[in-house]
Amino acid sequence: MLTRLLALSRYFTIVAVIGILLASIALLMYEALVVVTALGTVVNTAGSGEISSKLAKMLAIGVIEAVDIFLIAIVAHMIGLGLYRLFVDPELPLPAWLKIRDLDDLKNNLVSSVIAVLSVLFLREAVGWDGERDVLRFGGALAMVIGVLTLYLVAKGRKD
């Protein structure tokens, strides 16, 4: 009886899966709205003949920020799908590139995605650099974090 109850408890993970997937969808929709609004502003500004290098730089930064937010939403979606596959339905069809056989696979996907998000974060700072912020220190700190995460992935790969 207790064994059966414990086996069924894995379905409580569905609460986390639904929460993560809803958050991912909300983030995707919100950022899509931000992008559409920003494009409308650019079109209106371009129509008035006020195109400047400052506006182009702001647009580039906005696009990079959108990519960053979309990446985070996609990572959340991948985590939700992975948790569902691990705890609820191991037969859930996933794309060939999203191999999740165990929790380590899910963690490796998350770490790889964090590296991509941190790289985009640095790109945003580098493009928006105005000479006042210390981009070198920021980049160095991110490089150290990315290096440690890469070492983690390499060490995990050697154990498998």
Side-chain angles (χ1 to χ4, degrees):
M1 170 77 174
L2 181 61
T3 304
R4 187 162 187 242
L5 189 61
L6 289 173
L8 289 174
S9 71
R10 69 189 171 108
Y11 291 107
F12 284 121
T13 308
I14 199 77
V15 173
V17 169
I18 291 170
I20 292 169
L21 292 177
L22 286 175
S24 171
I25 291 167
L27 198 53
L28 284 168
M29 299 305 287
Y30 172 78
E31 194 59 30
L33 185 61
V34 167
V35 168
V36 168
T37 303
L39 287 175
T41 303
V42 168
V43 167
N44 286 339
T45 305
S48 66
E50 297 180 28
I51 299 289
S52 67
S53 62
K54 185 176 181 181
L55 181 63
K57 190 173 187 176
M58 287 175 49
L59 181 61
I61 292 169
V63 168
I64 295 168
E65 286 175 350
V67 167
D68 197 27
I69 298 299
F70 284 135
L71 270 175
I72 291 169
I74 291 167
V75 169
H77 189 80
M78 287 171 33
I79 297 300
L81 291 176
L83 288 173
Y84 186 84
R85 183 172 184 148
L86 290 175
F87 288 95
V88 179
D89 183 9
E91 300 303 316
L92 177 70
L94 293 176
W97 57 265
L98 185 57
K99 294 179 183 166
I100 299 175
R101 296 176 307 267
D102 55 27
L103 203 52
D104 278 339
D105 286 343
L106 192 58
K107 288 189 294 187
N108 290 345
N109 281 321
L110 177 61
V111 169
S112 298
S113 300
V114 167
I115 290 171
V117 168
L118 290 176
S119 299
V120 172
L121 178 65
F122 178 74
L123 177 62
R124 181 183 66 189
E125 289 300 313
V127 169
W129 186 56
D130 54 8
E132 293 179 19
R133 295 182 304 247
D134 192 354
V135 176
L136 184 60
R137 283 189 189 168
F138 181 70
L142 285 181
M144 287 181 8
V145 172
I146 289 171
V148 168
L149 291 174
T150 302
L151 285 174
Y152 167 81
L153 289 175
V154 169
K156 293 293 284 179
R158 287 185 184 158
K159 289 181 183 178
D160 293 339

